[in-house]
Amino acid sequence: MTVSGQVNPVAKGVTIWIQQEQSAGSWATVKQVTTDAAGHYTGTFKVTAIGIRRYRAYIPAVTGQAGTGSPIRFVTFNRKPTVTFTTVQPLVSGSLRVGQRLTAKAGTWSPKPTKYTYQWRRDGSRIPGATTTSYLLTPADYRTYITVEVTAVRSGQVTGRESVTGTLVGSGLFVGGSAAIAGSRVGGNVLTATSTGWSPVPEMTTFEWLRNGQPIAGETSSTYRTRKQDIGADITVTATALRSSFTSRSVTSAAARITDPGGTFPVSPAPRFDDLMKPEASTVVPPSVATATFSSQPPDWFGRTTLVRWDTPGAFAHSLDPVAVGTLYSAANGGDFRRPEAGAEYHVNNSTLKNADVQFTVTGKRFAIRYWTVKNSDAMVWIDGKPVATQAFAGSDPTGAGRWNWITVTRTSTVPATIRIAGPMYFTGVDYDACQVVTVTAAPRFTLGVIGDSMFETLAGTEPMTSGPAPMLSTLTGFRVWNMAEGGTGYVNDGSGVAASGGVGYPGYLTSPFGSARRLASVTSAPIDALLVSGSINDVHFSPDAQRTALDKLLDDVAVARPGLPVVLVTLEPVSYPGVADQTDPRFRALNDSFDGVAERHPNVVGVIDPYAADWLTGTGSTAHPAGDGNQDQYVGADGVHLNAAGHTYYQGRIAAELRAMVARLAPANR
């Protein structure tokens, strides 16, 4: 038997193991070859056993990179007959797509047989009942090799010959399908979308409404109530058909022009943040819906994987703009050490890495979320708002060189599901079995931006990392949290303890006060729907007047840069530490008083949360040195200042509860 192929991208001298699967499921290398200058390889070996054998070409793993294999090929070996026919190989005609019919041609035989029998095979195994000259491809055949074995009989002589195919069965294609809009064209009335004429019938049809060809945010149901801005516009709806093992297909309706302004437009009150919240549930996804497993080894189907990488356009909704792993390390060391193949990191102009918090919609039944672990990392996955496990998955990297971890999800349905992964510092992407139809698309969420200091950073020792401040606030609200916090900063303080020196950070990534031009630019460009600014005890080095001036300027600048953006203010964090008695230091009380009347002075402020006056954190102890005089014993970490995981859960829970009652006063485009 001879196996040949080519690596992509083309590379010379790549080691290729040609492997045969053993009875126990392991793989044995039967030939080792290397690629030539064009990336080609060829290996020949002797076969000594009959039956179905599975083969693959495999590139072995190297440091920092998992091994990868070709699609698996199935070959049937028969015992050499005592009397043989002279034949031309049987052929298969027809389109190799799910839902299409294949036809077998027996080929030319000499001497002429008295009869033929047919047996269709999937990846070498017999397909029960498929014994005629034609075969209809089913979803089970997707991404497999289909062959037909033709057996000739004459005067007791029996010889079988199997067709040869070099192409995997592709996904099916929908035929037909249309979308239409029903309902009055009078403004303020409800339009209804319908979609018919599909072959085969979709398992699910999704809708998206458009105004003059542009999607209308959030309008994805089968009905749509027209608005004032629709008068004179063309409204269309796009219907997308989905079915397992079929390529999705979209059709768009004819336009419905809304010309009559005489309708009644309901006046909806400005929503509260409570109306926008969709907190994650605590109940684990039942096995009847999905299961998840964690491993530092790739899935068993990794040899035929397709990776949707972190930087694939339109695939993921990240918690921050991702950059290649090593971007900050490159800045610190003056070289280019970025590794986009390992994954993404998140920082937003700061020296401290943020947690990955990524959301996407998936249609496949089987996929694996891949992320990069250095030293230690943990992660949690949610499916449609429910966690896949009771506790976060903990990964480790004993070598310190970094390694990949996989959370493999197996679902029982192909209906689109919303997936969220949070916790790790580095996110690589989603692997899926190429034998399945899987789509991965970004799933947008209402986004809350946060400016703050280290109270909104996940520091060392906060485990699980999904209990860090930003991931936890996201879990409790359902919002995407765009974390622009920078440790050691405040309205006036710049991270060094004295003004205007910028003492913390890598070159090009130094920290700065809340209202610096650089941080204001981040607010201006961030895809946020509201902004939360968390005050800081770091401003104790400056006068209350200096903080008040900086606070007013920041709010004025935000109002100019982002008109209509609602702002929520959080006053000082109420933590106590050695030398500062709980709630009695006049310097902190004076700083906290700076927030009095701020909502009246700045109409973009929709609410003020005051954990300092409310004394959320009581006592003077910490987990390392409990004083027995308040909840800081349980909530403040060993350093005596920053919160631990339980503290973040408590603190962000209080913030979420305060947010619920506030009127968001969102700009119309963000409602």
mmCIF file of all heavy atoms in Angstrom, residues 401-448:
data_model
loop_
_atom_site.group_PDB
_atom_site.id
_atom_site.type_symbol
_atom_site.label_atom_id
_atom_site.label_comp_id
_atom_site.label_asym_id
_atom_site.label_seq_id
_atom_site.Cartn_x
_atom_site.Cartn_y
_atom_site.Cartn_z
ATOM 1 N N ALA A 401 6.303 26.292 30.645
ATOM 2 C CA ALA A 401 6.440 26.714 29.249
ATOM 3 C C ALA A 401 5.103 27.035 28.616
ATOM 4 O O ALA A 401 5.053 27.623 27.535
ATOM 5 C CB ALA A 401 7.130 25.616 28.440
ATOM 6 N N GLY A 402 4.023 26.676 29.281
ATOM 7 C CA GLY A 402 2.692 26.889 28.739
ATOM 8 C C GLY A 402 2.175 25.648 28.043
ATOM 9 O O GLY A 402 2.931 24.870 27.449
ATOM 10 N N ARG A 403 0.872 25.434 28.131
ATOM 11 C CA ARG A 403 0.252 24.289 27.461
ATOM 12 C C ARG A 403 -1.202 24.618 27.186
ATOM 13 O O ARG A 403 -1.800 25.488 27.816
ATOM 14 C CB ARG A 403 0.354 23.030 28.325
ATOM 15 C CG ARG A 403 -0.502 23.066 29.573
ATOM 16 C CD ARG A 403 -0.226 21.939 30.536
ATOM 17 N NE ARG A 403 -0.395 20.636 29.942
ATOM 18 C CZ ARG A 403 -0.165 19.496 30.589
ATOM 19 N NH1 ARG A 403 0.254 19.521 31.857
ATOM 20 N NH2 ARG A 403 -0.338 18.337 30.004
ATOM 21 N N TRP A 404 -1.782 23.884 26.237
ATOM 22 C CA TRP A 404 -3.187 24.060 25.932
ATOM 23 C C TRP A 404 -4.050 23.202 26.843
ATOM 24 O O TRP A 404 -3.650 22.122 27.276
ATOM 25 C CB TRP A 404 -3.460 23.681 24.477
ATOM 26 C CG TRP A 404 -3.185 24.789 23.511
ATOM 27 C CD1 TRP A 404 -3.554 26.089 23.619
ATOM 28 C CD2 TRP A 404 -2.479 24.690 22.272
ATOM 29 N NE1 TRP A 404 -3.121 26.819 22.538
ATOM 30 C CE2 TRP A 404 -2.463 25.972 21.686
ATOM 31 C CE3 TRP A 404 -1.870 23.644 21.598
ATOM 32 C CZ2 TRP A 404 -1.862 26.235 20.466
ATOM 33 C CZ3 TRP A 404 -1.271 23.896 20.377
ATOM 34 C CH2 TRP A 404 -1.266 25.185 19.821
ATOM 35 N N ASN A 405 -5.227 23.713 27.137
ATOM 36 C CA ASN A 405 -6.284 22.947 27.782
ATOM 37 C C ASN A 405 -7.507 22.981 26.878
ATOM 38 O O ASN A 405 -7.711 23.941 26.131
ATOM 39 C CB ASN A 405 -6.649 23.520 29.154
ATOM 40 C CG ASN A 405 -5.535 23.353 30.179
ATOM 41 O OD1 ASN A 405 -5.231 24.273 30.929
ATOM 42 N ND2 ASN A 405 -4.911 22.187 30.214
ATOM 43 N N TRP A 406 -8.304 21.914 26.975
ATOM 44 C CA TRP A 406 -9.536 21.824 26.192
ATOM 45 C C TRP A 406 -10.716 21.527 27.104
ATOM 46 O O TRP A 406 -10.624 20.675 27.990
ATOM 47 C CB TRP A 406 -9.454 20.714 25.152
ATOM 48 C CG TRP A 406 -8.633 21.016 23.942
ATOM 49 C CD1 TRP A 406 -9.059 21.526 22.751
ATOM 50 C CD2 TRP A 406 -7.226 20.781 23.777
ATOM 51 N NE1 TRP A 406 -8.013 21.639 21.861
ATOM 52 C CE2 TRP A 406 -6.870 21.186 22.470
ATOM 53 C CE3 TRP A 406 -6.227 20.283 24.612
ATOM 54 C CZ2 TRP A 406 -5.571 21.106 21.979
ATOM 55 C CZ3 TRP A 406 -4.942 20.196 24.131
ATOM 56 C CH2 TRP A 406 -4.620 20.600 22.835
ATOM 57 N N ILE A 407 -11.827 22.230 26.901
ATOM 58 C CA ILE A 407 -13.110 21.869 27.491
ATOM 59 C C ILE A 407 -13.983 21.398 26.332
ATOM 60 O O ILE A 407 -14.389 22.198 25.479
ATOM 61 C CB ILE A 407 -13.759 23.041 28.229
ATOM 62 C CG1 ILE A 407 -12.865 23.501 29.385
ATOM 63 C CG2 ILE A 407 -15.140 22.650 28.757
ATOM 64 C CD1 ILE A 407 -13.363 24.750 30.092
ATOM 65 N N THR A 408 -14.214 20.088 26.266
ATOM 66 C CA THR A 408 -14.954 19.490 25.160
ATOM 67 C C THR A 408 -16.429 19.403 25.523
ATOM 68 O O THR A 408 -16.787 18.834 26.567
ATOM 69 C CB THR A 408 -14.406 18.095 24.822
ATOM 70 O OG1 THR A 408 -13.029 18.218 24.457
ATOM 71 C CG2 THR A 408 -15.172 17.478 23.671
ATOM 72 N N VAL A 409 -17.269 19.959 24.678
ATOM 73 C CA VAL A 409 -18.712 20.008 24.905
ATOM 74 C C VAL A 409 -19.400 19.113 23.885
ATOM 75 O O VAL A 409 -19.124 19.198 22.683
ATOM 76 C CB VAL A 409 -19.252 21.444 24.786
ATOM 77 C CG1 VAL A 409 -20.765 21.471 24.953
ATOM 78 C CG2 VAL A 409 -18.585 22.345 25.823
ATOM 79 N N THR A 410 -20.274 18.240 24.364
ATOM 80 C CA THR A 410 -21.092 17.392 23.499
ATOM 81 C C THR A 410 -22.553 17.708 23.766
ATOM 82 O O THR A 410 -23.026 17.586 24.898
ATOM 83 C CB THR A 410 -20.827 15.904 23.771
ATOM 84 O OG1 THR A 410 -19.432 15.635 23.577
ATOM 85 C CG2 THR A 410 -21.629 15.032 22.828
ATOM 86 N N ARG A 411 -23.258 18.147 22.725
ATOM 87 C CA ARG A 411 -24.669 18.516 22.846
ATOM 88 C C ARG A 411 -25.540 17.465 22.170
ATOM 89 O O ARG A 411 -25.068 16.671 21.363
ATOM 90 C CB ARG A 411 -24.919 19.890 22.198
ATOM 91 C CG ARG A 411 -24.071 21.015 22.756
ATOM 92 C CD ARG A 411 -24.228 22.280 21.915
ATOM 93 N NE ARG A 411 -25.598 22.718 21.858
ATOM 94 C CZ ARG A 411 -26.196 23.172 20.762
ATOM 95 N NH1 ARG A 411 -25.539 23.215 19.608
ATOM 96 N NH2 ARG A 411 -27.447 23.569 20.791
ATOM 97 N N THR A 412 -26.821 17.483 22.511
ATOM 98 C CA THR A 412 -27.767 16.550 21.910
ATOM 99 C C THR A 412 -28.578 17.195 20.801
ATOM 100 O O THR A 412 -29.431 16.547 20.202
ATOM 101 C CB THR A 412 -28.727 15.997 22.980
ATOM 102 O OG1 THR A 412 -29.414 17.095 23.609
ATOM 103 C CG2 THR A 412 -27.965 15.213 24.035
ATOM 104 N N SER A 413 -28.326 18.468 20.511
ATOM 105 C CA SER A 413 -29.104 19.189 19.515
ATOM 106 C C SER A 413 -28.186 20.075 18.687
ATOM 107 O O SER A 413 -27.117 20.483 19.146
ATOM 108 C CB SER A 413 -30.177 20.051 20.197
ATOM 109 O OG SER A 413 -30.797 20.928 19.277
ATOM 110 N N THR A 414 -28.631 20.380 17.470
ATOM 111 C CA THR A 414 -27.893 21.324 16.627
ATOM 112 C C THR A 414 -28.516 22.707 16.656
ATOM 113 O O THR A 414 -28.043 23.611 15.970
ATOM 114 C CB THR A 414 -27.860 20.828 15.170
ATOM 115 O OG1 THR A 414 -29.206 20.693 14.690
ATOM 116 C CG2 THR A 414 -27.137 19.506 15.056
ATOM 117 N N VAL A 415 -29.594 22.881 17.426
ATOM 118 C CA VAL A 415 -30.209 24.196 17.552
ATOM 119 C C VAL A 415 -29.175 25.177 18.106
ATOM 120 O O VAL A 415 -28.427 24.839 19.031
ATOM 121 C CB VAL A 415 -31.439 24.124 18.480
ATOM 122 C CG1 VAL A 415 -31.983 25.517 18.777
ATOM 123 C CG2 VAL A 415 -32.519 23.258 17.850
ATOM 124 N N PRO A 416 -29.062 26.384 17.565
ATOM 125 C CA PRO A 416 -28.034 27.321 18.040
ATOM 126 C C PRO A 416 -28.091 27.531 19.548
ATOM 127 O O PRO A 416 -29.168 27.700 20.128
ATOM 128 C CB PRO A 416 -28.364 28.617 17.281
ATOM 129 C CG PRO A 416 -29.053 28.155 16.036
ATOM 130 C CD PRO A 416 -29.846 26.949 16.441
ATOM 131 N N ALA A 417 -26.930 27.505 20.175
ATOM 132 C CA ALA A 417 -26.816 27.728 21.618
ATOM 133 C C ALA A 417 -25.802 28.834 21.858
ATOM 134 O O ALA A 417 -24.831 28.983 21.117
ATOM 135 C CB ALA A 417 -26.381 26.451 22.332
ATOM 136 N N THR A 418 -26.034 29.604 22.910
ATOM 137 C CA THR A 418 -25.114 30.671 23.287
ATOM 138 C C THR A 418 -24.118 30.124 24.303
ATOM 139 O O THR A 418 -24.513 29.578 25.336
ATOM 140 C CB THR A 418 -25.866 31.866 23.883
ATOM 141 O OG1 THR A 418 -26.760 32.386 22.897
ATOM 142 C CG2 THR A 418 -24.902 32.963 24.292
ATOM 143 N N ILE A 419 -22.843 30.263 24.000
ATOM 144 C CA ILE A 419 -21.772 29.722 24.833
ATOM 145 C C ILE A 419 -20.962 30.881 25.399
ATOM 146 O O ILE A 419 -20.643 31.842 24.691
ATOM 147 C CB ILE A 419 -20.839 28.812 24.017
ATOM 148 C CG1 ILE A 419 -21.640 27.766 23.225
ATOM 149 C CG2 ILE A 419 -19.808 28.153 24.916
ATOM 150 C CD1 ILE A 419 -22.414 26.799 24.063
ATOM 151 N N ARG A 420 -20.623 30.786 26.680
ATOM 152 C CA ARG A 420 -19.730 31.762 27.307
ATOM 153 C C ARG A 420 -18.625 31.003 28.021
ATOM 154 O O ARG A 420 -18.884 30.004 28.698
ATOM 155 C CB ARG A 420 -20.493 32.628 28.311
ATOM 156 C CG ARG A 420 -19.588 33.609 29.071
ATOM 157 C CD ARG A 420 -20.327 34.298 30.203
ATOM 158 N NE ARG A 420 -19.415 35.028 31.070
ATOM 159 C CZ ARG A 420 -19.583 35.212 32.386
ATOM 160 N NH1 ARG A 420 -20.653 34.722 32.993
ATOM 161 N NH2 ARG A 420 -18.695 35.873 33.095
ATOM 162 N N ILE A 421 -17.375 31.455 27.849
ATOM 163 C CA ILE A 421 -16.248 30.934 28.626
ATOM 164 C C ILE A 421 -15.582 32.118 29.311
ATOM 165 O O ILE A 421 -15.346 33.162 28.695
ATOM 166 C CB ILE A 421 -15.227 30.165 27.766
ATOM 167 C CG1 ILE A 421 -14.019 29.778 28.643
ATOM 168 C CG2 ILE A 421 -14.823 30.931 26.523
ATOM 169 C CD1 ILE A 421 -12.998 28.908 27.973
ATOM 170 N N ALA A 422 -15.294 31.955 30.598
ATOM 171 C CA ALA A 422 -14.645 33.024 31.368
ATOM 172 C C ALA A 422 -13.616 32.415 32.295
ATOM 173 O O ALA A 422 -13.721 31.257 32.699
ATOM 174 C CB ALA A 422 -15.681 33.821 32.166
ATOM 175 N N GLY A 423 -12.602 33.207 32.619
ATOM 176 C CA GLY A 423 -11.616 32.794 33.612
ATOM 177 C C GLY A 423 -10.187 32.813 33.155
ATOM 178 O O GLY A 423 -9.345 33.464 33.781
ATOM 179 N N PRO A 424 -9.833 32.109 32.069
ATOM 180 C CA PRO A 424 -8.410 32.034 31.721
ATOM 181 C C PRO A 424 -7.865 33.370 31.242
ATOM 182 O O PRO A 424 -8.614 34.249 30.811
ATOM 183 C CB PRO A 424 -8.376 30.995 30.596
ATOM 184 C CG PRO A 424 -9.741 31.019 30.015
ATOM 185 C CD PRO A 424 -10.662 31.322 31.153
ATOM 186 N N MET A 425 -6.547 33.532 31.330
ATOM 187 C CA MET A 425 -5.897 34.749 30.864
ATOM 188 C C MET A 425 -5.727 34.762 29.347
ATOM 189 O O MET A 425 -5.614 35.822 28.746
ATOM 190 C CB MET A 425 -4.526 34.909 31.530
ATOM 191 C CG MET A 425 -4.601 35.177 33.018
ATOM 192 S SD MET A 425 -5.369 36.777 33.379
ATOM 193 C CE MET A 425 -5.071 36.882 35.138
ATOM 194 N N TYR A 426 -5.688 33.565 28.743
ATOM 195 C CA TYR A 426 -5.418 33.467 27.311
ATOM 196 C C TYR A 426 -6.451 32.556 26.665
ATOM 197 O O TYR A 426 -6.664 31.430 27.125
ATOM 198 C CB TYR A 426 -4.014 32.898 27.056
ATOM 199 C CG TYR A 426 -2.924 33.561 27.853
ATOM 200 C CD1 TYR A 426 -2.389 32.938 28.984
ATOM 201 C CD2 TYR A 426 -2.433 34.810 27.504
ATOM 202 C CE1 TYR A 426 -1.392 33.537 29.727
ATOM 203 C CE2 TYR A 426 -1.436 35.416 28.244
ATOM 204 C CZ TYR A 426 -0.915 34.780 29.358
ATOM 205 O OH TYR A 426 0.072 35.377 30.091
ATOM 206 N N PHE A 427 -7.086 33.030 25.599
ATOM 207 C CA PHE A 427 -8.116 32.266 24.891
ATOM 208 C C PHE A 427 -7.626 31.957 23.484
ATOM 209 O O PHE A 427 -7.214 32.861 22.749
ATOM 210 C CB PHE A 427 -9.414 33.068 24.837
ATOM 211 C CG PHE A 427 -10.460 32.484 23.929
ATOM 212 C CD1 PHE A 427 -11.133 31.324 24.280
ATOM 213 C CD2 PHE A 427 -10.773 33.101 22.722
ATOM 214 C CE1 PHE A 427 -12.091 30.781 23.437
ATOM 215 C CE2 PHE A 427 -11.738 32.573 21.881
ATOM 216 C CZ PHE A 427 -12.401 31.407 22.237
ATOM 217 N N THR A 428 -7.638 30.669 23.095
ATOM 218 C CA THR A 428 -7.124 30.260 21.788
ATOM 219 C C THR A 428 -8.218 30.182 20.728
ATOM 220 O O THR A 428 -8.047 30.674 19.617
ATOM 221 C CB THR A 428 -6.421 28.899 21.884
ATOM 222 O OG1 THR A 428 -5.407 28.966 22.893
ATOM 223 C CG2 THR A 428 -5.772 28.530 20.563
ATOM 224 N N GLY A 429 -9.343 29.547 21.043
ATOM 225 C CA GLY A 429 -10.413 29.437 20.064
ATOM 226 C C GLY A 429 -11.240 28.195 20.284
ATOM 227 O O GLY A 429 -11.257 27.612 21.372
ATOM 228 N N VAL A 430 -11.944 27.780 19.239
ATOM 229 C CA VAL A 430 -12.846 26.629 19.304
ATOM 230 C C VAL A 430 -12.435 25.617 18.246
ATOM 231 O O VAL A 430 -12.337 25.940 17.056
ATOM 232 C CB VAL A 430 -14.308 27.051 19.092
ATOM 233 C CG1 VAL A 430 -15.209 25.826 18.927
ATOM 234 C CG2 VAL A 430 -14.794 27.900 20.261
ATOM 235 N N ASP A 431 -12.151 24.379 18.693
ATOM 236 C CA ASP A 431 -11.911 23.262 17.792
ATOM 237 C C ASP A 431 -13.227 22.525 17.577
ATOM 238 O O ASP A 431 -14.014 22.372 18.521
ATOM 239 C CB ASP A 431 -10.906 22.277 18.396
ATOM 240 C CG ASP A 431 -9.482 22.798 18.377
ATOM 241 O OD1 ASP A 431 -8.953 23.000 17.274
ATOM 242 O OD2 ASP A 431 -8.912 23.016 19.468
ATOM 243 N N TYR A 432 -13.447 22.062 16.351
ATOM 244 C CA TYR A 432 -14.588 21.180 16.150
ATOM 245 C C TYR A 432 -14.230 20.065 15.180
ATOM 246 O O TYR A 432 -13.326 20.198 14.357
ATOM 247 C CB TYR A 432 -15.834 21.942 15.692
ATOM 248 C CG TYR A 432 -15.784 22.552 14.310
ATOM 249 C CD1 TYR A 432 -16.105 21.810 13.177
ATOM 250 C CD2 TYR A 432 -15.457 23.896 14.136
ATOM 251 C CE1 TYR A 432 -16.078 22.373 11.913
ATOM 252 C CE2 TYR A 432 -15.436 24.475 12.877
ATOM 253 C CZ TYR A 432 -15.752 23.704 11.770
ATOM 254 O OH TYR A 432 -15.736 24.262 10.530
ATOM 255 N N ASP A 433 -14.939 18.969 15.342
ATOM 256 C CA ASP A 433 -14.714 17.778 14.533
ATOM 257 C C ASP A 433 -15.146 18.067 13.102
ATOM 258 O O ASP A 433 -16.310 18.402 12.853
ATOM 259 C CB ASP A 433 -15.527 16.622 15.127
ATOM 260 C CG ASP A 433 -15.248 15.292 14.461
ATOM 261 O OD1 ASP A 433 -14.628 15.288 13.390
ATOM 262 O OD2 ASP A 433 -15.665 14.261 15.028
ATOM 263 N N ALA A 434 -14.220 17.946 12.170
ATOM 264 C CA ALA A 434 -14.528 18.241 10.776
ATOM 265 C C ALA A 434 -15.572 17.291 10.200
ATOM 266 O O ALA A 434 -16.073 17.525 9.103
ATOM 267 C CB ALA A 434 -13.256 18.190 9.932
ATOM 268 N N CYS A 435 -15.919 16.228 10.924
ATOM 269 C CA CYS A 435 -16.967 15.318 10.472
ATOM 270 C C CYS A 435 -18.357 15.845 10.805
ATOM 271 O O CYS A 435 -19.349 15.150 10.607
ATOM 272 C CB CYS A 435 -16.780 13.935 11.101
ATOM 273 S SG CYS A 435 -15.384 13.038 10.404
ATOM 274 N N GLN A 436 -18.445 17.052 11.361
ATOM 275 C CA GLN A 436 -19.731 17.633 11.689
ATOM 276 C C GLN A 436 -19.848 19.028 11.092
ATOM 277 O O GLN A 436 -18.841 19.674 10.794
ATOM 278 C CB GLN A 436 -19.921 17.728 13.208
ATOM 279 C CG GLN A 436 -19.912 16.389 13.918
ATOM 280 C CD GLN A 436 -20.441 16.507 15.329
ATOM 281 O OE1 GLN A 436 -21.151 17.443 15.675
ATOM 282 N NE2 GLN A 436 -20.106 15.542 16.152
ATOM 283 N N VAL A 437 -21.103 19.468 10.919
ATOM 284 C CA VAL A 437 -21.353 20.842 10.507
ATOM 285 C C VAL A 437 -21.432 21.694 11.765
ATOM 286 O O VAL A 437 -22.296 21.484 12.612
ATOM 287 C CB VAL A 437 -22.663 20.965 9.704
ATOM 288 C CG1 VAL A 437 -22.976 22.426 9.412
ATOM 289 C CG2 VAL A 437 -22.541 20.193 8.409
ATOM 290 N N VAL A 438 -20.515 22.626 11.907
ATOM 291 C CA VAL A 438 -20.468 23.492 13.083
ATOM 292 C C VAL A 438 -20.262 24.928 12.610
ATOM 293 O O VAL A 438 -19.402 25.187 11.766
ATOM 294 C CB VAL A 438 -19.328 23.090 14.049
ATOM 295 C CG1 VAL A 438 -19.266 24.049 15.230
ATOM 296 C CG2 VAL A 438 -19.520 21.665 14.549
ATOM 297 N N THR A 439 -21.064 25.837 13.129
ATOM 298 C CA THR A 439 -20.853 27.257 12.861
ATOM 299 C C THR A 439 -20.614 27.969 14.181
ATOM 300 O O THR A 439 -21.220 27.640 15.200
ATOM 301 C CB THR A 439 -22.059 27.889 12.145
ATOM 302 O OG1 THR A 439 -23.238 27.745 12.973
ATOM 303 C CG2 THR A 439 -22.319 27.224 10.814
ATOM 304 N N VAL A 440 -19.708 28.934 14.164
ATOM 305 C CA VAL A 440 -19.364 29.725 15.342
ATOM 306 C C VAL A 440 -19.472 31.195 14.956
ATOM 307 O O VAL A 440 -18.772 31.656 14.054
ATOM 308 C CB VAL A 440 -17.933 29.411 15.830
ATOM 309 C CG1 VAL A 440 -17.569 30.293 17.019
ATOM 310 C CG2 VAL A 440 -17.814 27.944 16.215
ATOM 311 N N THR A 441 -20.362 31.923 15.613
ATOM 312 C CA THR A 441 -20.566 33.344 15.316
ATOM 313 C C THR A 441 -20.645 34.128 16.608
ATOM 314 O O THR A 441 -21.061 33.611 17.648
ATOM 315 C CB THR A 441 -21.848 33.568 14.499
ATOM 316 O OG1 THR A 441 -22.964 32.972 15.196
ATOM 317 C CG2 THR A 441 -21.745 32.943 13.131
ATOM 318 N N ALA A 442 -20.254 35.391 16.545
ATOM 319 C CA ALA A 442 -20.244 36.254 17.727
ATOM 320 C C ALA A 442 -21.654 36.426 18.270
ATOM 321 O O ALA A 442 -22.626 36.524 17.512
ATOM 322 C CB ALA A 442 -19.649 37.615 17.380
ATOM 323 N N ALA A 443 -21.760 36.459 19.601
ATOM 324 C CA ALA A 443 -23.042 36.667 20.276
ATOM 325 C C ALA A 443 -22.948 37.955 21.087
ATOM 326 O O ALA A 443 -22.419 37.963 22.197
ATOM 327 C CB ALA A 443 -23.371 35.485 21.192
ATOM 328 N N PRO A 444 -23.424 39.087 20.545
ATOM 329 C CA PRO A 444 -23.276 40.359 21.255
ATOM 330 C C PRO A 444 -24.135 40.415 22.509
ATOM 331 O O PRO A 444 -25.159 39.741 22.622
ATOM 332 C CB PRO A 444 -23.742 41.389 20.217
ATOM 333 C CG PRO A 444 -24.653 40.618 19.317
ATOM 334 C CD PRO A 444 -24.100 39.232 19.258
ATOM 335 N N ARG A 445 -23.685 41.231 23.468
ATOM 336 C CA ARG A 445 -24.416 41.430 24.714
ATOM 337 C C ARG A 445 -24.424 42.915 25.064
ATOM 338 O O ARG A 445 -23.582 43.674 24.596
ATOM 339 C CB ARG A 445 -23.737 40.674 25.864
ATOM 340 C CG ARG A 445 -23.855 39.176 25.809
ATOM 341 C CD ARG A 445 -23.245 38.543 27.047
ATOM 342 N NE ARG A 445 -21.789 38.576 27.041
ATOM 343 C CZ ARG A 445 -21.020 38.229 28.051
ATOM 344 N NH1 ARG A 445 -21.565 37.844 29.190
ATOM 345 N NH2 ARG A 445 -19.711 38.273 27.964
ATOM 346 N N PHE A 446 -25.370 43.314 25.899
ATOM 347 C CA PHE A 446 -25.320 44.646 26.485
ATOM 348 C C PHE A 446 -23.988 44.768 27.221
ATOM 349 O O PHE A 446 -23.609 43.891 27.997
ATOM 350 C CB PHE A 446 -26.483 44.836 27.458
ATOM 351 C CG PHE A 446 -26.526 46.210 28.090
ATOM 352 C CD1 PHE A 446 -27.226 47.237 27.494
ATOM 353 C CD2 PHE A 446 -25.854 46.463 29.275
ATOM 354 C CE1 PHE A 446 -27.264 48.500 28.062
ATOM 355 C CE2 PHE A 446 -25.880 47.728 29.854
ATOM 356 C CZ PHE A 446 -26.592 48.744 29.240
ATOM 357 N N THR A 447 -23.269 45.846 26.977
ATOM 358 C CA THR A 447 -21.894 45.954 27.474
ATOM 359 C C THR A 447 -21.754 47.107 28.452
ATOM 360 O O THR A 447 -22.103 48.252 28.136
ATOM 361 C CB THR A 447 -20.918 46.140 26.308
ATOM 362 O OG1 THR A 447 -21.070 45.037 25.396
ATOM 363 C CG2 THR A 447 -19.478 46.174 26.795
ATOM 364 N N LEU A 448 -21.253 46.787 29.632
ATOM 365 C CA LEU A 448 -21.004 47.773 30.683
ATOM 366 C C LEU A 448 -19.501 47.993 30.785
ATOM 367 O O LEU A 448 -18.748 47.064 31.101
ATOM 368 C CB LEU A 448 -21.550 47.265 32.023
ATOM 369 C CG LEU A 448 -21.306 48.169 33.244
ATOM 370 C CD1 LEU A 448 -22.109 49.460 33.117
ATOM 371 C CD2 LEU A 448 -21.677 47.440 34.534
#
